[in-house]
Amino acid sequence: MTDKTMTADEVVARLWSGMTLGIGGWGSRRKPMALVRALLRSPVTDLTVISCGGPDVGLLAAAGRIARLVTPFVTLDSIPLEPRYRAARERGSFALTEIDEAMFLWGLHAAANRLPFLPVRAGIGSDVMRVNPELRTVVSPYADGEEFVAAPALRMDAALVHLNRADRLGNAQYLGPDPYFDDLFCEAADAAYVSCERLVDGFAGAVPQTLLVSRVSVTGVVETPNGAHFTSCAPDHGRDEIFQTMYATTPWEEFAERFLHGDEESYQEAVQIWHEERS
Amino acid sequence: MTVVTRAEYCVIACAEAWRDNGEVLASPMGPIPSLGARLARLTFSPDLLLTDGEALLVDADGGLEGWLPYRRHLTMVTGGRRHVMMGASQLDRHGNQNISCIGPWEQPARQLLGVRGAPSNTLNNPVSYWIPRHSPRVFVERVDMVCGVGYDRAAAAGPSATRFHRIPRVVSDLGVFDFDTPDRSMRLVSLHPGVTVARVREATGFELTAGADTPFTRPPTATELRLIRETLDPDGVRDRHVGAA
């Protein structure tokens, strides 16, 4: 059996500038933040990012790594608007493909199923059609004759996701209330990298429905405890709300200087020190 | 019983959006619609489904009754067994809604959330809106980016857009509105007590249909008032989420 374990830096060494990169999680929930931080340490740039956006998008946008973003929204959840993303958009820093959530979900399904598109009853009538002039509609060949948007497949070169547990082969488990779309991201990508809170020797005794990601769609596995920080990763840890608030309100250079200059270990250490200073 | 506050009228007006909806998911976005949905569930619409705001369906006491992660929530949208009450940064006279950005989309003056699920919501299940601070900045002649589809845009897009399209009501801190006019433009349905038609017109950036004898929003019953004040919102969170009258 193939042992797929690797480090976050080894994952990033397999990424390249100009690629299309999917990022799992949702808003400020179970984002593969340690992998995003590793990406920030690398020279990889000019990315097309596909994400239900949260601080993953904020960090990459602030660091100027995004050429195009494909998303239905960007939010920090408890802070509705992502300030780094907003600032970058208001500077006109990158191109945007803004699509509806259903178009996003069915775009992932289309990619995972090797279909060019799937029809959705969403988009027509809205300005999603105006801002994405490449979008096309399809007419039902049946008696109803209805017109739908052909949500294009969101095929990606690589996907990054974070789950609660994984084995060395790439099987991965979520333990929180929501799988988000992480399995679909892995299936829609040519290569998928799963970071996890804890590596396990197998899933004997696990509730089988929690085994979200199959090794067949996984290229690499990284153990990164607290690797979703500062987003939530229930039930291992909740969102670090006060840290997120600090992230959202501290000037970018200052935040990057203090937290993003070193490796993941020094990030986690800097976070701990920041919390100790506050108490 | 003490005087009913503006926030309490808003909660009642939001709750009324889900009257006679039967067994559908009530999806309130924001604290006032949430209080309204839970009040409706506890009183006149007991079959409503509610979530915990994340992936769980919960009963009136917050007890678990089902699982609704995002991917299944989207099927609830397209399956139509849902009535959402969304917010709006801009809303126009035909009910087009914007939560994406202010100014030119290519490089906005203010980037907001993004379209989220507004395009599919509006084409698939009833969508009402809650506006906590009624002003000409929100109620505009034309929105900068159509996220939620209004009646004119749905009609222009054809039968597959209009098939399930419906905007039952808009609730603001000043009154209740709908689109039950010949040209499907916004109409004042009721004023919250203390508000005048002139005040609403002044706060609305487009021509609003309003009768001379507009009624007032109904007051809560004694039971409803007790539920709001003692059961649902004993800390008075509602008062912090309604614009100053």
Side-chain angles (χ1 to χ4, degrees), chain B residues 20-168:
Chain B
D20 301 326
N21 277 198
E23 197 160 27
V24 302
L25 178 71
S27 270
M29 301 195 181
I32 299 291
S34 294
L35 286 171
R38 292 169 64 202
L39 182 68
R41 167 77 176 76
L42 284 171
T43 55
F44 49 78
S45 292
D47 292 332
L48 288 175
L49 281 76
L50 296 171
T51 75
D52 67 343
E54 295 207 19
L56 305 179
L57 289 165
V58 294
D59 63 22
D61 303 319
L64 181 62
E65 70 166 15
W67 185 49
L68 196 68
Y70 283 117
R71 61 181 70 191
R72 289 180 58 159
H73 200 137
L74 290 177
T75 307
M76 200 73 102
V77 172
T78 48
R81 295 177 194 278
R82 176 178 184 257
H83 179 175
V84 57
M85 184 174 276
M86 300 187 78
S89 302
Q90 293 177 325
L91 196 65
D92 73 22
R93 63 195 301 261
H94 291 289
N96 297 291
Q97 170 251 29
N98 177 18
I99 48 172
S100 171
C101 65
I102 303 297
W105 178 87
E106 291 70 19
Q107 186 173 348
R110 280 175 66 78
Q111 173 63 42
L112 304 172
L113 186 60
V115 294
R116 269 216 74 168
S120 36
N121 285 344
T122 43
L123 261 54
N124 284 288
N125 60 197
V127 179
S128 293
Y129 294 104
W130 157 246
I131 310 294
R133 197 173 293 269
H134 195 128
S135 86
R137 286 160 49 113
V138 177
F139 289 88
V140 295
E141 188 65 48
R142 202 179 289 266
V143 301
D144 293 345
M145 166 92 177
V146 175
C147 303
V149 177
Y151 281 99
D152 56 339
R153 295 282 295 248
S160 66
T162 55
R163 186 172 174 194
F164 304 116
H165 179 269
R166 197 159 69 84
I167 308 174

Side-chain angles (χ1 to χ4, degrees), chain A residues 128-201:
Chain A
V128 164
M129 304 307 282
R130 170 174 66 89
V131 304
N132 299 292
E134 73 283 6
L135 285 178
R136 295 289 176 267
T137 62
V138 290
V139 175
S140 165
Y142 299 107
D144 57 84
E146 287 203 71
E147 185 188 19
F148 303 101
V149 168
L154 296 176
R155 196 68 210 173
M156 47 196 86
D157 295 313
L160 308 177
V161 300
H162 184 79
L163 282 100
N164 300 89
R165 305 285 178 269
D167 66 17
R168 293 174 173 276
L169 310 177
N171 299 300
Q173 180 186 36
Y174 79 109
L175 296 172
D178 201 319
Y180 310 118
F181 301 158
D182 287 359
D183 49 336
L184 294 169
F185 271 96
C186 294
E187 291 160 13
D190 292 343
Y193 302 96
V194 177
S195 62
C196 65
E197 289 292 307
R198 188 146 57 81
L199 214 49
V200 293
D201 286 331

Side-chain angles (χ1 to χ4, degrees), chain A residues 174-239:
Chain A
Y174 79 109
L175 296 172
D178 201 319
Y180 310 118
F181 301 158
D182 287 359
D183 49 336
L184 294 169
F185 271 96
C186 294
E187 291 160 13
D190 292 343
Y193 302 96
V194 177
S195 62
C196 65
E197 289 292 307
R198 188 146 57 81
L199 214 49
V200 293
D201 286 331
F203 293 98
V207 176
Q209 293 91 329
T210 62
L211 300 176
L212 183 67
V213 174
S214 164
R215 65 185 168 86
V216 76
S217 60
V218 173
T219 312
V221 180
V222 182
E223 187 180 44
T224 58
N226 213 28
H229 184 271
F230 46 88
T231 69
S232 66
C233 187
D236 290 314
H237 58 82
R239 186 179 300 126

